[in-house]
Amino acid sequence: MAENSNELMDKLVALCKRRGFIFQSSEIYGGINGFWDYGPLGVELKRNIKDAWWEDIVRKRDDMVGVDCSIIMNPKVWEASGHLAGFTDPMVDCKGCKARFRGDQFDLYETSKVPNIPAQVFATPVDAFNAFRDEQVRLDTRIIANPGMTTEELQSVYRRGTGRNRARIVLRGAGIFVADGKDCYQLTRIVNQPCKPGDKCPICGGDLTEARKFNMMFKTFVGAMEDSSAVAYLRPETAQGIFANYKNVLDTSRIKVPFGIAQIGKAFRNEINPRNYTFRSREFEQMEIEFFCHPNEADKWYEYWRDARFNWYVGLGLRSSRLRLRPHEKDELAFYARSCADIEYEFPFGISELEGVANRTDYDLTQHQKFSGKDMAYFDDDAWQTFLDQRKAEGKPELTKEEKTTLSSGSSFRYTPHVIEPSGGVDRATLAFLCEAYTEDQAPDEKGVMQSRTVMKFHPRLAPIKVAVFPLVKKEGMPEVADRIYRAAKKAGLAAFYDEKGAVGRRYRRQDEAGTPFCVTVDGQTLQDQTVTVRDRDSLKQDRIAADNVVPYVREKLSS
Ligand code: ATP
C-alpha cells in the first residue's frame, strides 16, 4: 500500500476509472451520489468474488442451499422484521451550508501543528471540495496556487466564501492543511463520532439541527395507484427473503437442521451520507447466509461461521494483518442478538466493516410466525424416530397417541431453530480486494532497465482476466499462432485477452494494471519448436512451455 492513504485512494480510484473497473453511475449526466457502475474488468472481478463465495458456501457443502428472492416483497415482511419501525439512522443538517450528515457517524476535525512540512498550501474551489467529500473525483479537483494567506485568512475563506471563492485548503495527496507561511497545521478528520450538542458543521463551521430519525428504506408504489395501500419497499437486506422462504425450502428439499440458506442479491439503503467510494452506497449487493440450528448448538455454529468467514477472506488474499475480528460489546448488540462480530478490513480511509456475523437467536422466525400466522417450528423426524426405536429396543410399552403428542412436542424434537447470520457486502469485498491488490513496484522494460509499475495482485481466482496472449510482432505467422492459443483458452472457459498492439513491455504493463496473472508470448522460437513463454505477474519469472500446454498450465496454476 502506498504510504499515504488519501494518495492511495486517489490512485486506486483513477486506476479503476482508467481501466474500466468502476465508473460513477450516469456519469454523463453528472453522476448520482451513492450509485456506481462496474465496467468490463470490474464486473468480472465482482462476478468472480460472487462465484467464489457461491462455490465455497453452497456448492461444496452438503448443508447449504441457495435462493434468489424478489427485491420487492409484501410490506408485512418489513413490519415483521422491524425495519419499518426501526431501520433508521439519526440525521443532522447544517443550518448554514445545508450539508447533511449521519448523527452517529459524524466527522470532526482536530488541528495539530505539523513539524517539518513545508508550509506550501494549495486550495480547491468548493464545488470540487464537495465532490471530494464523496471521495469520487479527487483526482479531477482543480488545484489553484497557494494564495499566500495567513491561517486565519485561509480559514475564513474556507468557512465563509461562496461559489468559486470558497476554498478548501489542501496539501495535495497528504490531507487537509492550513498554513500561515511559517507553520503548517493539519486538520485531522476524526471519523464516525457521535454528534454532540454544540458540535459545528465540519464543512462550514455552521450550527447544526438536532438529530432526527430517518428511515433508510426506499419507498415505491406497486400498481397504478399511488396511495398508501400501494406502498412497497426496495429490500434493505436480502436476509428477509430467506426467512420468508424458510418453510418452502424445508418442505421442498430434503435438507435438515442444521442447514443454511444462502443468497446473493441487490439491497438498497437510502444512506444519509454515502461515501468512501463504493464502501457506503445506496444500491449494493449482499451475500448472506442464514444458518438454522438447534438452540443448544447455536454458540458452536456462531464460532464456526465467524472463523470460517474470516478465513475465507484470508484464503482469497486479504492479508490477515489487515483483517480483524471485532466482537461487539454487550451494549452494541441488537436486543435479540446473543453475539455478533464484525470482520473489519483496514481500508485506506480507516478500519471498517466488511461483514457481520451474528447469532440472531430465534428472533426472525418468531417474528414471521407472529406476523404471518404460519408455524415456523421445526420437527426433528430423525431424533423422534431414534427415540421411538430406542424405547422399542429397551422393551418399553408402545406410547399412546396422547403420550406421543406430548412427548414429540418436547424441545429435543420440536423447536424454532436459532439462526447464525454471516452477512457480507459484495461491493465492500470488491473494494477490499482492489485495495489489497494495488501494488507499486519495479519491473525491467524490454531493455532491462528497471521501471516503476502498477500491478493489481489479485488472487488468480478473482483476477478478471486469467491469461493474456501476445504475438511478439505482428508478422511471420506469430499472430495466427497467438490467436489459436487465445481461442483455445476461451473455449476452455478461461477469461482470456488477445493483444498485438504496441511494444510487448507496454502490453505487459496493461495486463499488470488489469491484474492478469499470466501473459503468454508467441515469439520467433515458437515458430521453430512450438513453445511459448508464460510470464508470472508477481514473480516476473518466465517459463517456456509447449504452446499446446497453455490451457492445462494456466488451469493448474489457478487451482494451486
Ligand atoms: P454499516 O454499519 O457499515 O452501515 P451495517 O452494520 O448496517 O453496516 P449490515 O446491515 O450488517 O451492515 O449489512 C451487512 C453487510 O452489507 C455489511 O457488512 C456490508 O458489507 C454491506 N453493506 C451494508 N450497507 C452497505 C452500504 N450502504 N453500501 C455497501 N455495502 C453495505
Side-chain angles (χ1 to χ4, degrees):
M1 246 186 223
E3 289 123 48
N4 184 289
S5 47
N6 288 330
E7 197 182 329
L8 169 64
M9 238 15 235
D10 284 350
K11 288 178 176 175
L12 186 67
V13 171
L15 182 138
C16 283
K17 178 160 188 217
R18 189 173 71 244
R19 295 312 314 272
F21 280 96
I22 299 173
F23 306 124
Q24 227 183 334
S25 165
S26 25
E27 191 188 286
I28 56 168
Y29 294 103
I32 169 166
N33 198 4
F35 297 87
W36 297 93
D37 295 340
Y38 289 81
L41 288 181
V43 73
E44 291 292 338
L45 173 65
K46 198 173 169 196
R47 188 171 289 263
N48 290 341
I49 292 167
K50 290 190 279 184
D51 286 351
W53 189 88
W54 196 262
E55 212 39 53
D56 296 342
I57 296 298
V58 183
R59 295 231 168 102
K60 285 189 183 156
R61 300 179 64 105
D62 298 329
D63 56 357
M64 292 289 306
V65 290
V67 290
D68 184 10
C69 308
S70 65
I71 284 169
I72 294 178
M73 303 173 71
N74 187 313
K76 278 238 170 232
V77 167
W78 308 113
E79 224 178 292
S81 68
H83 282 83
L84 216 45
F87 195 57
T88 56
D89 274 340
M91 177 170 78
V92 291
D93 289 318
C94 172
K95 292 178 185 166
C97 70
K98 309 291 176 213
R100 181 158 280 173
F101 309 96
R102 241 176 94 164
D104 60 338
Q105 292 191 344
F106 204 64
D107 291 352
L108 303 169
Y109 290 94
E110 256 180 19
T111 313
S112 55
K113 196 157 148 181
V114 190
N116 307 324
I117 283 203
Q120 189 195 13
V121 174
F122 299 91
T124 56
V126 73
D127 46 356
F129 174 47
N130 281 337
F132 167 67
R133 276 203 305 123
D134 303 325
E135 316 271 352
Q136 288 170 12
V137 292
R138 211 176 146 208
L139 272 193
D140 304 332
T141 50
R142 208 182 70 154
I143 308 296
I144 58 171
N146 179 353
M149 298 173 179
T150 64
T151 306
E152 235 173 42
E153 282 168 333
L154 281 168
Q155 276 176 332
S156 87
V157 172
Y158 168 65
R159 291 225 168 98
R160 272 185 240 115
T162 53
R164 296 192 80 75
N165 293 326
R166 191 150 106 202
R168 175 171 72 102
I169 301 106
V170 58
L171 190 69
R172 188 172 162 80
I176 300 172
F177 288 79
V178 290
D180 58 9
K182 200 156 78 300
D183 292 311
C184 187
Y185 303 85
Q186 181 165 21
L187 300 182
T188 309
R189 201 162 64 156
I190 318 284
V191 294
N192 295 350
Q193 299 295 303
C195 178
K196 298 184 301 302
D199 278 345
K200 299 288 182 196
C201 169
I203 294 177
C204 75
D207 291 335
L208 300 167
T209 62
E210 287 204 352
R212 284 158 296 146
K213 280 188 170 181
F214 169 75
N215 194 306
M216 289 199 291
M217 282 200 291
F218 278 100
K219 255 188 208 170
T220 188
F221 298 96
V222 173
M225 301 302 290
E226 292 199 358
D227 60 22
S228 59
S229 67
V231 168
Y233 303 90
L234 303 194
R235 66 182 177 197
E237 61 173 37
T238 63
Q240 297 306 323
I242 298 181
F243 292 123
N245 277 293
Y246 149 82
K247 270 277 165 191
N248 282 339
V249 171
L250 263 184
D251 293 346
T252 53
S253 58
R254 289 264 170 89
I255 203 122
K256 292 182 179 228
V257 172
F259 77 99
I261 307 180
Q263 173 163 224
I264 298 178
K266 288 269 187 183
F268 302 82
R269 294 183 189 179
N270 200 359
E271 295 279 359
I272 293 169
N273 206 356
R275 60 183 177 171
N276 290 331
Y277 202 23
T278 56
F279 180 84
R280 187 170 301 288
S281 311
R282 288 181 166 137
E283 174 178 342
F284 54 97
E285 266 183 289
Q286 289 186 311
M287 31 196 194
E288 296 198 291
I289 303 168
E290 305 304 328
F291 195 83
F292 303 91
C293 59
H294 191 280
N296 294 346
E297 294 197 323
D299 288 342
K300 181 189 88 181
W301 280 111
Y302 165 71
E303 282 171 23
Y304 168 84
W305 279 111
R306 185 195 61 192
D307 298 346
R309 292 304 304 140
F310 184 93
N311 291 331
W312 185 80
Y313 289 105
V314 179
L316 285 172
L318 290 195
R319 262 168 291 169
S320 53
S321 56
R322 293 224 184 104
L323 276 177
R324 109 180 159 175
L325 206 54
R326 190 182 65 79
H328 282 203
E329 301 293 338
K330 279 263 168 302
D331 60 357
E332 203 185 342
L333 283 178
F335 70 91
Y336 49 78
R338 189 172 148 86
S339 27
C340 183
D342 286 346
I343 300 171
E344 298 181 329
Y345 179 71
E346 193 187 343
F347 288 96
F349 44 81
I351 297 179
S352 304
E353 177 182 329
L354 204 52
E355 174 160 345
V357 183
N359 175 350
R360 298 179 63 92
T361 64
D362 59 356
Y363 175 74
D364 305 273
L365 289 181
T366 307
Q367 283 294 101
H368 285 298
Q369 177 167 294
K370 198 160 110 192
F371 280 77
S372 69
K374 303 281 183 311
D375 181 17
M376 296 286 168
Y378 175 76
F379 182 65
D380 190 339
D381 268 329
D382 291 347
W384 178 242
Q385 201 48 54
T386 310
F387 169 77
L388 293 180
D389 291 348
Q390 210 166 331
R391 281 185 60 93
K392 205 168 176 187
E394 286 166 6
K396 292 189 173 154
E398 191 146 335
L399 294 168
T400 64
K401 205 170 161 199
E402 289 71 34
E403 283 172 330
K404 275 189 181 165
T405 309
T406 316
L407 281 172
S408 65
S409 61
S411 65
S412 329
F413 308 119
R414 182 177 291 279
Y415 55 88
T416 305
H418 280 208
V419 170
I420 311 303
E421 178 188 79
S423 167
V426 181
D427 307 80
R428 282 193 191 173
T430 306
L431 185 58
F433 285 118
L434 280 165
C435 292
E436 184 79 29
Y438 186 91
T439 312
E440 291 172 358
D441 65 8
Q442 300 271 316
D445 63 13
E446 292 96 287
K447 296 182 192 115
V449 181
M450 292 308 266
Q451 304 283 355
S452 57
R453 72 164 180 163
T454 301
V455 50
M456 298 300 284
K457 292 191 172 176
F458 295 121
H459 188 287
R461 232 178 133 187
L462 303 184
I465 302 170
K466 308 298 187 207
V467 58
V469 189
F470 315 145
L472 186 61
V473 288
K474 246 195 308 183
K475 54 187 179 194
E476 295 164 23
M478 290 184 208
E480 289 74 13
V481 180
D483 185 65
R484 252 197 329 272
I485 297 170
Y486 163 71
R487 303 249 157 245
K490 294 274 264 192
K491 198 166 170 208
L494 291 172
F497 188 80
Y498 177 84
D499 192 2
E500 57 179 25
K501 288 205 183 73
V504 76
R506 283 187 129 207
R507 287 181 257 163
Y508 282 142
R509 296 291 176 279
R510 278 186 63 77
Q511 292 308 313
D512 286 341
E513 279 196 343
T516 307
F518 307 105
C519 289
V520 172
T521 305
V522 171
D523 55 15
Q525 196 177 325
T526 313
L527 306 177
Q528 286 155 24
D529 65 4
Q530 284 75 52
T531 62
V532 291
T533 61
V534 186
R535 170 194 182 260
D536 180 281
R537 177 196 66 198
D538 300 344
S539 69
L540 300 173
K541 229 177 102 248
Q542 305 227 5
D543 276 351
R544 194 159 262 285
I545 64 164
D548 286 347
N549 210 23
V550 167
V551 169
Y553 176 94
V554 173
R555 275 230 178 102
E556 195 202 313
K557 294 270 183 186
L558 288 176
S559 62
S560 62

